[in-house]
Amino acid sequence: MKWAFSNKIVKEITANCCTENVSSINLLNKFNFIQLKTENDVIYWNLNNLNH
């Protein structure tokens, strides 16, 4: 993520995981990803580049 956000072209990083995948949810929360929505047992996440 550090490399991606050091690149001015990268505006955001997106991710998704299953609602049952507690390890992925915890990791995405740890890195300050924002939960956008949940559809069909999938959580969609976003992390914006604040330097952009």
Side-chain angles (χ1 to χ4, degrees):
M1 289 188 320
K2 186 176 181 179
W3 173 86
F5 285 158
S6 69
N7 185 333
K8 294 182 181 184
I9 295 172
V10 177
K11 296 178 183 176
E12 66 183 3
I13 299 173
T14 61
N16 57 50
C17 66
C18 294
T19 54
E20 298 175 359
N21 192 337
V22 177
S23 296
S24 290
I25 293 167
N26 290 338
L27 183 68
L28 291 164
N29 278 317
K30 179 179 177 178
F31 287 109
N32 298 315
F33 276 73
I34 303 299
Q35 212 174 322
L36 298 175
K37 64 181 178 178
T38 303
E39 286 183 356
N40 301 320
D41 296 327
V42 177
I43 306 171
Y44 295 85
W45 303 81
N46 184 34
L47 182 63
N48 288 316
N49 185 352
L50 300 178
N51 297 321
H52 189 266

